[in-house]
């Protein structure tokens, strides 16, 4: 069912308009829900704001994943992760951000591909269980979906700030 | 066509007779095994020690004989200096003829000539050049081709171990002159004879390997994999901006940075929706000092000036700690101070520039900068991979 991963130069069926519209619709719906939550608890503490922003971000990613559907590996992995995260405390998600300058530092003994492939795997959801070629495919689709996500969110923000 | 071997130079009878017999004896049983029913008339004559081999042929082999004569002349012309090579050529001729005879005999008369034709060129014998027609027998012969190849394998196999000192060179020379199709590449490399022969004899879809490259499946799979990776990298190159790097490693770096940048943009955009009007753009830096304290800068016209002012006041405590740290480092060594700042994603800039920027965006970018009043250091850009940030919000990256 991988009709969307034909990788000719012009042939990658990327996020078409329908995908964008689907994402926008879902995202707006989740935004409305989150706004309802805000009104109930009129808190403006830092932590609350952080939580809300994270909720919005998760809403964005989940609506994107649902709009894409189970076609792609990364969307499935993302949906799975989001579904299982509901019960977990937030601390699980926090990662220590080490300033990694591994791009310039001397490379490890593993080959160049493997080194960067691992980095890419961490970025793309579900990337740990894919071989390099599939990883590249998924990255291409993921990048286009992220692009549409950013564009839609930007448009919403612009509309709201007017 | 008794004059088959006449144009050739006279042989030294003894050595080459033995050799010829040897070759033909090895060829004889294998050729008989590969043929179905007809016992060709040639094998009885193979036992002749006389170098003039007599062939009897039917109508269908007229063309074949013409073909052969061309072959012989070509062979003779190419290898005049080496009688042994022409003996090899003669044996090859006879072998071909035997095959063609059998094919012509076993199949119907209508197919006899086409069989000979298929073994030769694609129907044009009169214009046979220097053995170019020998190219097609091997790939074009189908089952006949494979048996021919098997026979040639036996042929070369018998040649090389028996008389290496004689045939090492002339073998390559003669066979090259006659252009034995796909076998030519193998035959010119005597050490590769066995393996190439083995691979040629197997009836699997052969990828014609270039000279010097192996035909084993591992390298083919490797090549295929590399091609697929290159394809996908090309597709990714079109998506990612700044994709003019030819190096695969730097291309992967670009891709990684771009994905990080897009994810960061999503995060920033999600934070800008708090309060509904897109006024506040907080940024969460999970520094080691305070797990999860938010350093908040405001942007966008400062509609929430009061609120953001409160927040910056609360977050100033963490900033003062940083300030003290930087001041301490600056006393010792400027470079380390810069590095410390860079690690936090901050930069140092002269006050004039800071005020200019703040008036442009209606708020100071970084409260830390106000503390360095006597500093005239040039700006160090700490945000290497930030990319274009939206004008409505200013953000400090946490690289």
């Amino acid at each position: 069912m991988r009709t969307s991963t034909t990788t000719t130069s012009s042939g990658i069926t990327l996020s078409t308009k329908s995908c964008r519209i689907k994402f926008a619709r879902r995202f707006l719906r989740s935004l409305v829900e989150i706004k309802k939550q805000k009104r109930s608890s009129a808190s403006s503490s830092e932590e609350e704001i952080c939580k809300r922003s994270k909720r919005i971000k998760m809403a964005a990613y989940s609506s994107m994943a649902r709009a894409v559907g189970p076609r792609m590996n990364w969307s499935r992995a993302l949906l799975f992760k989001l579904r299982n995260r509901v019960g977990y405390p937030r601390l699980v998600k926090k990662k220590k951000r080490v300033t990694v300058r591994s791009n310039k530092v001397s490379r490890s003994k593993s080959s160049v591909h493997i080194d960067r492939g691992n980095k890419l795997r961490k970025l793309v959801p579900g990337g740990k269980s894919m071989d390099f070629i599939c990883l590249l495919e998924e990255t291409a689709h993921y990048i286009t979906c992220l692009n549409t996500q950013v564009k839609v969110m930007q448009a919403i923000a612009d509309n709201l700030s007017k | 066509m008794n004059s088959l071997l006449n144009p050739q130079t006279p042989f030294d009878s003894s050595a080459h007779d033995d050799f010829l017999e040897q070759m033909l004896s090895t060829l004889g049983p294998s050729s008989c095994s590969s043929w179905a029913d007809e016992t060709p008339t040639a094998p009885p004559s193979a036992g002749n020690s006389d170098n003039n081999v007599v062939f009897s042929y039917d109508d269908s082999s007229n063309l074949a004989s013409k073909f052969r004569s061309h072959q012989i002349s070509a062979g003779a012309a190419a290898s005049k200096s080496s009688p042994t090579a022409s003996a090899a050529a003669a044996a090859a001729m006879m072998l071909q003829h035997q095959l063609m005879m059998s094919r012509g005999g076993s199949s119907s008369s209508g197919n006899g000539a086409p069989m000979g034709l298929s073994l030769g060129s694609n129907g044009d014998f009169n214009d046979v050049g220097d053995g170019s027609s020998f190219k097609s027998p091997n790939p074009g012969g189908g089952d006949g081709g494979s048996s021919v190849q098997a026979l040639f394998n036996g042929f070369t196999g018998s040649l090389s171990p028996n008389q290496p000192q004689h045939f090492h060179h002339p073998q390559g020379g003669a066979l090259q002159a006659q252009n034995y199709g796909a076998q030519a590449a193998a035959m010119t490399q005597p050490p590769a004879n066995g393996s190439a022969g083995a691979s040629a004899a197997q009836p699997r879809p052969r990828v014609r390997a270039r000279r010097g490259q192996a035909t084993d499946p591992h390298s083919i799979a490797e090549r295929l994999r590399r091609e697929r990776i290159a394809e996908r990298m090309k597709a990714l190159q079109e998506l990612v901006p700044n994709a003019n790097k030819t190096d695969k490693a730097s291309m992967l770096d670009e891709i990684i940075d771009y994905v990080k940048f897009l994810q960061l943009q999503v995060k920033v955009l999600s934070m800008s929706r708090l309060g509904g009007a897109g006024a506040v753009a907080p940024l969460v830096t999970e520094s080691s000092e305070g797990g999860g304290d938010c350093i908040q800068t405001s942007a966008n016209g400062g509609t929430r000036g009061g609120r953001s002012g409160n927040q910056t006041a609360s977050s100033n405590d963490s900033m003062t700690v940083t300030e003290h740290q930087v001041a301490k480092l600056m006393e010792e060594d400027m470079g380390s101070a810069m590095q410390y700042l860079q690690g936090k994603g901050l930069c140092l800039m002269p006050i004039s520039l800071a005020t200019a920027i703040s008036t442009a965006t209606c708020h100071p970018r970084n409260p830390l900068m106000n503390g360095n009043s006597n500093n005239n250091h040039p700006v160090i850009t700490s945000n290497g991979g930030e990319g274009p940030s939206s004008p409505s919000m200013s953000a400090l990256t946490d690289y």
Side-chain angles (χ1 to χ4, degrees), chain B residues 42-357:
Chain B
S45 61
N48 281 348
S49 56
D50 187 7
N51 287 326
N52 287 332
V53 182
V54 179
F55 291 100
S56 60
Y57 48 92
D58 50 0
D59 300 327
S60 64
S61 64
N62 273 333
L63 288 167
S65 55
K66 251 189 240 171
F67 159 68
R68 256 183 298 114
S69 63
H70 280 285
Q71 291 298 321
I72 296 298
S73 56
S79 58
K80 261 193 187 132
S81 56
S82 52
T84 56
S86 48
M93 291 309 122
M94 290 188 301
L95 169 62
Q96 272 287 340
H97 181 71
Q98 283 166 2
L99 266 183
M100 288 189 287
M101 290 287 292
S102 74
R103 295 292 172 216
S106 56
S107 50
S108 58
S109 58
N111 293 336
M115 257 329 211
L117 282 175
S118 71
L119 280 178
S121 66
N122 294 333
D124 192 7
F125 285 137
N126 294 326
D127 298 335
V128 165
D130 48 343
S132 59
S133 58
F134 249 109
K135 245 192 237 174
S136 35
N138 296 330
D143 55 343
S146 62
S147 57
V148 169
Q149 287 165 15
L151 290 168
F152 281 148
N153 288 338
F155 178 59
T156 57
S158 63
L159 272 181
S160 42
N162 292 335
Q163 311 253 337
Q165 65 273 25
H166 290 296
F167 291 101
H168 184 89
H169 220 45
Q171 166 193 356
L175 296 177
Q176 231 175 0
Q178 296 174 359
N179 268 341
Y180 282 11
Q183 290 278 325
M187 284 179 182
T188 51
Q189 307 167 19
N193 254 347
S195 61
S199 69
Q202 287 169 17
R204 85 179 162 184
R206 268 184 39 220
V207 175
R208 174 68 198 278
R210 274 172 268 149
R211 250 203 182 148
Q213 285 187 4
T215 51
D216 57 299
H218 288 298
S219 54
I220 292 178
E222 266 295 313
R223 213 186 310 156
L224 197 64
R225 182 174 179 266
R226 258 180 270 139
E227 279 171 12
R228 292 168 87 188
I229 287 183
E231 259 178 63
R232 278 140 181 84
M233 294 288 291
K234 226 190 298 176
L236 274 170
Q237 238 182 1
E238 294 171 12
L239 286 175
V240 177
N242 298 333
N244 44 8
K245 314 263 182 347
T246 49
D247 184 19
K248 227 186 280 185
S250 51
M251 194 59 224
L252 277 173
D253 280 338
E254 273 294 324
I255 293 170
I256 289 175
D257 285 341
Y258 190 58
V259 171
K260 275 196 218 169
F261 161 66
L262 285 177
Q263 284 178 341
L264 183 67
Q265 253 194 326
V266 169
K267 183 198 267 191
V268 166
L269 276 171
S270 74
M271 288 178 176
S272 77
R273 289 220 175 67
L274 299 177
V280 180
L283 190 75
V284 180
T285 60
E286 287 166 26
S287 56
S288 53
E289 291 162 346
D293 69 334
C294 307
I295 302 174
Q296 297 195 349
T297 68
S298 58
N300 208 15
T303 51
R304 306 277 174 152
R307 185 158 152 248
S308 54
N310 285 341
Q311 284 158 352
T312 46
S314 65
S315 58
N316 254 340
D317 301 331
S318 53
M319 294 311 285
T320 47
V321 174
T322 319
E323 272 184 53
H324 288 316
Q325 276 277 338
V326 173
K328 233 187 287 177
L329 282 171
M330 279 204 289
E331 285 161 21
E332 303 165 14
D333 171 31
M334 210 48 220
S336 59
M338 295 306 186
Q339 278 181 5
Y340 178 71
L341 277 177
Q342 224 175 0
K344 294 192 137 298
L346 306 171
C347 70
L348 214 53
M349 63 165 62
I351 288 292
S352 50
L353 191 55
T355 47
I357 290 177

Side-chain angles (χ1 to χ4, degrees), chain A residues 37-54:
Chain A
Q37 286 179 15
K38 193 220 173 187
R39 271 199 204 132
S40 58
S41 64
S43 60
S44 57
S45 66
E46 286 179 23
E47 225 184 286
E48 271 299 320
I49 290 177
C50 290
K51 268 194 207 167
R52 263 196 76 218
S53 63
K54 286 204 179 128

